[in-house]
Every structure is written in structure tokens, then in C-alpha cells.
Amino acid sequence: MQRPPTDDRRRLDPAPPPGHRPSGDPPPDRAPRPTDDEVRHLVRTLLHEDPTGPTDRAAPAAPDDAPRVRAVTEGGEFFTWWVGARHVLRMAPDRATSARLTRELRLRELVRRHVGVPVPASAAAGTWNGALAHTLDHRLLGASGEDAPVSAAGESDLAALLSGLREASAKDAHALGLPRTPPRSLDELRAGARHAAWLLVPDREFDVAGLARLTPRAVAQLAPRSGEVVVHGDLKGEHLRVTGDGHVCGVLDWTDAFVGDPAEDIGGLCISVGAPAAVRAATLAGYGARECLRGLWLARCDTVIRLADRLHGSDDSPVPLLRTQLARAWEPILLELLSADD
């Protein structure tokens, strides 16, 4: 049996995926979380379209007829509330996040006319706590993609999403402030995944033999060759809205979007809906085998690295979710099944 490498580095990911934000202490300019009363007052002002209403932290409590608000604990980097049954409020806690939220609002209008799935629309937007951005969005219907499976019709929806992002002008998106992100090195990612895989051997979480299929020759063949496109950058299951019959009825959270490698979104779909469904959707969108396989292996390496970093590093993501994402990305696709039969 081959001995595992002796490299004991704590850093597992040689090239963090787009959208990755390491955990740590909050920035010093982070605003304090608003109270429910302050949120009610802000929302009441927005819904009544009263531009003179106060929106700072000194606002008094709202009266009894204020809209019902409920904090969203999984709001991520934003302060997030459900507002009644039809709206969701996101408030940027610091200047950097505020800039990204403002950019997202502009990007949504750019991609809306290209992608074939609903994109959130803002009922009202503005600033709070001085100059931090907020948006009151209309809620999209459907369940989280983590809880509802995508049907064949839903795969067609995802194909429309991918093809629409390719049709949207990358030049215009960059002019809106989207960063240009160079393609990640699959060779470096493969090295990081091999190291992570050996860390998982004692935990019986992963079979290192699976990575043997990603040979140096395959890495060279899967070098990025497609042009730059608009990339959502965070197509995990919770950002997909899915109907009871498996249609994709919305795509949320465009804050991590960038201009770059389309294989990143194919890889994101491998993690959220499974490798076979993601590859079928990408093929329907017009992507060839190279882009599909590159996205597949980006996802596979990422999921191994993230699980190892959770169990042996500093990541704090839920372990069951990471295991589920790893299982989805490592589902065999048709090409692999045919090769095994041969």
C-alpha cells in the first residue's frame, strides 16, 4: 500500500474557489445588528415609499401595525430578515459588503433579460446606518435546492441559466464592477485534493483511489480554453429555488459573481444537484466535454478539500452538508460508466 504523504501543512486549499471567504474576526467597521423594532420601522418606511422616513439606528420603534419581521439566522454575510410573506430584507453590515450588494443590484438587471430563470427583484433599496446598502426584495417561490430535487425540466432551466450567463456581456458586467478572476489551476487543486484525501483516510470519509482518474495528462487536457463569461460563483443548493415538480424557479444571491471561467458554475451545479444532472444541463447549454469535465473535477477536488479542512482544519461548515456535497460531486457520469463497462 502506498504510504500517505508526510506534508503536515494546515492549509489545504492551494487556490480558494471564487466566493470563498475565510472565517475570522469581524472587520472593525462592522455595524451593530439592528433590532427588530428598527427593522420594522425601516421596512414600514420602504413599503410606504416615504423617502423622508428615518433609516438610521436612532429610529424609534414602529407602531403596532408595522409589518411582521423574522430574522434569518442563515443570512450569511448580511443582516437578513423575512418581511411578512412576500419580502426579504438584506442589510450590508460593512462597507465592503455594501459595495458588493450595490454591484449585485446592478448585475441582476443586466442578467435578468438573458437567463431563463427568475432573478430576485428589489421592491426598494437604499442605505442605512449612514451609507450601508440595503435591499428589500420580492421573495421567490419554491423550496431550497438542498431540500427539493431538480427534475429533467429543472435541468433545462439550469441549461437556460448557463447559456444566458454566456450571452450576457462580460464587458458590461465588468464595467458594473464585477472582478475578472483568472481560471484556477487544476494541477494545484489536484495536489491540494490529494493531500486532503490522505487526511480523510483514518476517518474513512473518502477513498483516495478516486483521485487517480485525474491524471497529469487529464489535467493538461482540461486546461481552460473557453472565453470569459459572467459567472454566478456560488450555485450551491440553498441559492436555487425549486418547485414541487422539480422546476428551477429562481436563483438567489449574486454577490459573489465575477467574470471568468464558466466551468466554475458547472462545478457549482455538480455540488448542488449532482454531477450527472449538472453535466446534462451544461451539455444542453452548449458546453463541450472539456468544460463539463473541468467543472466536474473542480467540484470533486473542492469537496474533498473542504471536508478535510472541516475535520482537520479551520472550516466551520456543517459536516453533514459537506458530506452530501462530496457525494453529489462524486456521482459517476455517463462517460465514466461507459468507460467502466469497456
Side-chain angles (χ1 to χ4, degrees):
M1 178 178 177
Q2 184 180 0
R3 296 175 61 86
T6 57
D7 186 354
D8 61 354
R9 294 170 297 176
R10 299 293 291 175
R11 181 178 176 82
L12 299 177
D13 189 350
H20 173 76
R21 291 179 296 277
S23 59
D25 295 332
D29 63 342
R30 186 179 178 91
R33 185 179 182 88
T35 67
D36 285 355
D37 282 342
E38 290 168 337
V39 170
R40 289 189 192 98
H41 187 91
L42 171 60
V43 169
R44 185 168 178 266
T45 301
L46 294 174
L47 291 177
H48 285 77
E49 298 181 345
D50 179 5
T52 64
T55 59
D56 58 22
R57 291 190 57 82
D64 292 339
D65 63 348
R68 181 171 57 88
V69 299
R70 177 167 56 90
V72 181
T73 55
E74 65 272 17
E77 61 189 319
F78 296 98
F79 298 141
T80 308
W81 280 265
W82 298 123
V83 179
R86 298 190 299 173
H87 297 91
V88 58
L89 175 69
R90 287 193 297 159
M91 306 172 72
D94 54 60
R95 293 181 180 178
T97 309
S98 178
R100 294 170 62 234
L101 178 57
T102 301
R103 184 183 71 197
E104 176 188 354
L105 297 180
R106 297 169 181 162
L107 175 66
R108 293 190 321 202
E109 297 310 309
L110 173 67
V111 302
R112 190 185 311 279
R113 57 182 178 267
H114 296 285
V115 299
V117 295
V119 173
S122 182
T127 60
W128 74 287
N129 198 56
L132 300 179
H134 66 69
T135 176
L136 181 69
D137 288 348
H138 297 286
R139 288 181 65 174
L140 295 177
L141 301 177
S144 167
E146 287 295 333
D147 303 320
V150 171
S151 65
E155 292 175 17
S156 297
D157 298 330
L158 294 174
L161 169 67
L162 294 176
S163 59
L165 288 175
R166 185 168 54 184
E167 292 170 4
S169 170
K171 180 179 179 180
D172 290 348
H174 182 60
L176 293 178
L178 258 68
R180 278 195 166 95
T181 302
R184 289 191 285 165
S185 167
L186 193 53
D187 189 43
E188 292 182 5
L189 197 59
R190 171 177 172 266
R194 285 170 59 88
H195 172 65
W198 282 113
L199 292 178
L200 294 174
V201 167
D203 306 313
R204 300 182 182 273
E205 294 279 359
F206 182 73
D207 183 359
V208 294
L211 283 167
R213 297 199 298 273
L214 185 59
T215 64
R217 179 183 178 185
V219 168
Q221 291 174 333
L222 298 180
R225 298 184 186 179
S226 299
E228 292 181 329
V229 304
V230 178
V231 179
H232 179 280
D234 199 14
L235 286 179
K236 54 190 177 184
E238 68 182 66
H239 292 156
L240 301 179
R241 307 304 297 175
V242 181
T243 63
D245 59 358
H247 269 286
V248 177
C249 59
V251 179
L252 308 176
D253 198 346
W254 293 76
T255 333
D256 292 320
F258 61 94
V259 174
D261 184 3
E264 293 288 354
D265 274 349
I266 299 173
L269 293 179
C270 288
I271 292 173
S272 60
V273 301
V279 170
R280 288 193 295 266
T283 302
L284 284 173
Y287 285 110
R290 178 181 291 109
E291 290 86 1
C292 292
L293 290 172
R294 176 173 169 80
L296 174 71
W297 281 105
L298 288 173
R300 287 179 170 178
C301 291
D302 281 339
T303 53
V304 173
I305 290 170
R306 290 171 187 166
L307 181 57
D309 195 29
R310 174 62 179 85
L311 298 179
H312 300 278
S314 58
D315 190 270
D316 59 358
S317 302
V319 173
L321 175 61
L322 295 177
R323 287 173 175 154
T324 298
Q325 292 176 338
L326 184 142
R328 290 172 182 159
W330 284 88
E331 292 174 358
I333 62 173
L334 181 59
L335 180 60
E336 291 174 323
L337 294 174
L338 292 175
S339 300
D341 290 341
D342 292 341

